[in-house]
């Protein structure tokens, strides 16, 4: 239930409002960094309202629980005025809004209302749920030796396997729509085609180029360590050219329905990109459709997040079946991709340190001390969003990056530039191909690199989205669905490591982007 209070907007009342909101968030168990971020956001909104409207305007402040979500509402009467509107940072505001980190404004019945979703600390994190599922499945799997084979077969066929297939079906149902809405919303967030051509194009192109660098180099460096079945690709032939040609033309959709029915993510990305560019070029004439895309993005991402809450149940059913089939030893193969991934992260971060050292005229040791706080936040929270405020402060105050440019480029990079995550995804694709004896051809490598890069780049940093990526990739690369459990377990091991290195790569990379700006 939301409780409302009326305030006459003055400097004293603004202090009182933000203090009460901070107290409320502390009761929810929110982190101090999130509380500070919300305090600053609310204070800025109230100051903008005060400066734009008459002195002492009455505002209605409410916070509480609505439809199982904790929300904060600010409403005031008068002419339409959107205090959240920032023309120079529209894309980052749009993306952060879609992941629940930015306020949303509506005007109805001569009343302006700004709403902000507050994130209550979960009573049980997704990590805890997965660990419990792993323990439970190991226990049940070990008990399988005392259960007759006929009973185990019946349980697997009537309960475990159908439950696992149902979950994967749900995930695939929303995966295509999530990618389509997220890509389209990201393009619309550029604000105008001029922004897309100028600053946005330069920043995004660099992010994309760096992402391809990580995926290509990681895939090629990982291949020799897994002894993959490459007999069919020992030499380049006309058949490979034909396969590559077919792969390129297969990117183009033949109709608007089949890509979503078949889960062809590349065609979905093409459709979403074209729609986003067309809507962007129409400007104000498409504002209603653009608003619908924004809301659709939020709805689909919430729905996908709800499906991903079932991941522990999927892990339990799949791992129990694997143990009963005597295939649990496959999980022991995870030590190799884990070691290779960590080694590559150290190599990549060393390269970034040397480049940033040249750009900033600082020693690598000094840069390590500067970026270490953000690395530790990512390492302990497994959240790129949690590192946002600390990383931006470091970039501005310690790395000397222009604030106006930083406000535009960093939030976008924080959402899209998951270089460490991308590297681990590429390593896992090669590892799974080796485990299940999938023939690795030149077209297979091209497809793996291209799809991994675009999928990791496109999806928002929400819980469970990496599993969405693996679900799509495994289907497209000819890897059995059983590999999804191995991929999920691997992601559990590297999630925290990846978030820490993602923050380091982005902060150090900003020195090169800003230098060329």
């Amino acid at each position: 239930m939301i409780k409302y209070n009326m305030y006459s907007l003055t400097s004293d009342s603004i202090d009182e409002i933000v203090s009460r909101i901070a107290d409320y968030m502390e009761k929810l168990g929110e982190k101090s960094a999130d509380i500070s971020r919300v305090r600053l956001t609310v204070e800025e909104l109230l100051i903008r309202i005060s400066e734009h409207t008459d002195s002492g305007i009455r505002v209605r402040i409410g916070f509480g629980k609505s439809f199982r979500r904790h929300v904060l509402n600010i409403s005031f009467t008068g002419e339409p005025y959107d205090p959240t509107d920032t023309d120079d940072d529209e894309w980052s505001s749009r993306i952060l809004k879609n992941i629940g980190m930015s306020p949303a404004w509506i005007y109805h019945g001569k009343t302006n209302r700004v709403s902000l979703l507050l994130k209550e600390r979960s009573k049980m994190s997704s990590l805890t749920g997965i660990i419990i599922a792993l323990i439970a499945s190991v226990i049940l799997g070990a008990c399988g030796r005392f259960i007759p084979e006929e009973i185990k077969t019946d349980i697997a066929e009537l309960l475990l396997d159908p439950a696992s297939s149902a979950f994967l079906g749900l995930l695939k149902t929303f995966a295509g729509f999530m990618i389509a809405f997220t890509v389209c919303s990201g393009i619309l967030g550029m604000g105008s085609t001029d922004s897309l051509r100028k600053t946005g194009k330069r920043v995004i192109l660099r992010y994309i180029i760096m992402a391809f660098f990580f995926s290509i180099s990681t895939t090629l460096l990982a291949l020799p360590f897994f002894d993959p079945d490459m007999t069919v690709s020992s030499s380049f032939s006309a058949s490979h050219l034909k396969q590559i040609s077919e792969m390129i033309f297969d990117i183009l959709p033949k109709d608007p329905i089949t890509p979503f029915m078949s889960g062809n993510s590349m065609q979905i990305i093409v459709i979403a990109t074209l729609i986003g560019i067309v809507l962007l070029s129409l400007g104000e004439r498409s504002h209603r459709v653009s608003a619908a895309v924004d809301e659709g993005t939020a709805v689909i991402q919430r729905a996908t997040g709800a499906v991903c809450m079932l991941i522990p149940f999927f892990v339990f059913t799949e791992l129990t079946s694997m143990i009963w089939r005597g295939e649990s030893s496959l999980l022991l193969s995870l030590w190799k991709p884990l070691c290779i991934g960590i080694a590559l992260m150290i190599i990549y971060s060393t390269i970034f340190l040397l480049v940033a050292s040249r750009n900033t005229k600082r020693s690598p040791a000094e840069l390590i001390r500067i970026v270490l706080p953000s690395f530790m936040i990512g390492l302990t929270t497994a959240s790129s969003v949690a590192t946002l405020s600390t990383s931006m402060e470091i970039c501005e105050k310690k790395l000397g990056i222009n604030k106006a440019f930083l406000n535009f480029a960093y939030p976008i990079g924080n959402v899209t530039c998951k270089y460490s995550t991308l590297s681990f995804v590429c390593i896992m694709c090669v590892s799974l191909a080796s485990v299940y004896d999938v023939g690795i051809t030149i077209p297979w490598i091209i497809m793996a690199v291209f799809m991994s890069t675009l999928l990791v780049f496109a999806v928002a940093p929400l819980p469970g989205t990496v599993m969405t990526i693996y679900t799509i990739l495994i289907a497209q690369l000819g890897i059995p669905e059983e590999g999804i459990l191995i991929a999920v377990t691997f992601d559990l091991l590297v999630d925290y490591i990846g978030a820490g290195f993602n923050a380091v790569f982005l902060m150090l990379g900003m020195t090169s982007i800003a230098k060329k700006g």
Side-chain angles (χ1 to χ4, degrees), residues 185-206:
S185 180
I187 293 173
L188 288 172
M190 290 303 299
S192 68
T193 51
D194 288 338
S195 299
L196 183 62
R197 283 194 299 265
K198 295 177 183 177
T199 306
K201 182 175 70 174
R202 178 175 61 82
V203 172
I204 295 303
L205 278 178
R206 179 177 177 82

Side-chain angles (χ1 to χ4, degrees), residues 66-125:
S66 176
F67 295 102
R68 304 184 66 182
R69 294 295 301 272
H70 290 272
V71 298
L72 164 66
N73 292 328
I74 304 172
S75 58
F76 57 97
T77 59
E79 296 298 319
Y81 171 62
D82 181 6
T84 71
D85 184 24
T86 52
D87 295 334
D88 60 334
D89 196 21
E90 186 173 350
W91 193 1
S92 55
S93 296
R94 184 184 298 262
I95 292 176
L96 292 176
K97 171 185 172 183
N98 289 339
I99 61 174
M101 292 297 295
S102 182
W105 170 82
I106 62 171
Y107 183 75
H108 180 71
K110 295 185 178 181
T111 299
N112 295 272
R113 189 175 75 173
V114 179
S115 299
L116 177 66
L117 291 176
L118 303 178
K119 296 190 296 183
E120 182 180 11
R121 182 173 293 181
S122 301
K123 296 180 181 179
M124 184 178 72
S125 67

Side-chain angles (χ1 to χ4, degrees), residues 249-373:
F249 283 104
D250 188 56
I251 292 175
L252 302 177
K254 298 176 178 61
D255 61 76
I257 305 299
T258 303
F260 293 92
M261 293 182 62
S262 62
N264 192 319
S265 56
M266 295 307 305
Q267 294 183 356
I268 291 173
I269 290 175
V270 169
I271 293 173
T273 301
L274 292 176
I275 292 176
I277 292 175
V278 170
L279 291 175
L280 191 64
S281 65
L282 292 175
E284 288 299 320
R285 289 178 292 175
S286 65
H287 72 280
R288 292 185 178 179
V289 179
S290 300
V293 170
D294 268 351
E295 297 305 319
T297 303
V299 170
I300 292 297
Q301 289 181 349
R302 286 283 301 277
T304 306
V307 173
C308 289
M309 291 175 63
L310 299 173
I311 289 178
F313 180 69
F314 166 78
V315 170
F316 171 76
T317 58
E318 194 70 10
L319 183 56
T320 301
S321 296
M322 182 178 286
I323 294 174
W324 283 357
R325 293 194 303 265
E327 299 175 356
S328 57
S329 59
L330 292 175
L331 296 177
L332 298 178
S333 63
L334 291 176
W335 70 268
K336 185 183 291 187
L338 179 62
C339 293
I340 293 172
I342 293 175
L344 287 178
M345 292 307 100
I346 295 174
I347 294 172
Y348 291 147
S349 58
T350 301
I351 296 174
F352 271 66
L353 276 171
L354 295 176
V355 174
S357 177
R358 185 190 63 185
N359 292 334
T360 61
K361 310 301 181 185
R362 298 169 184 253
S363 68
E366 183 181 1
L367 287 175
I368 291 175
R369 289 194 298 270
I370 290 174
V371 302
L372 187 60

Side-chain angles (χ1 to χ4, degrees), residues 206-222 341 344-352 417-427 448-449 452-453 456 501-502 504-506 508-509:
R206 179 177 177 82
Y207 287 154
I208 293 176
I209 290 172
M210 288 304 302
F212 273 107
F213 163 77
F214 271 86
S215 60
I216 294 172
S217 59
T218 299
T219 302
L220 295 180
L221 290 173
L344 287 178
M345 292 307 100
I346 295 174
I347 294 172
Y348 291 147
S349 58
T350 301
I351 296 174
F352 271 66
C417 299
K418 301 177 280 289
Y419 298 145
S420 179
T421 304
L422 174 60
S423 297
F424 284 122
V425 167
C426 291
I427 291 172
V449 167
S452 299
T453 304
V456 173
F501 278 107
N502 282 336
V504 170
F505 292 143
L506 185 54
L508 296 178

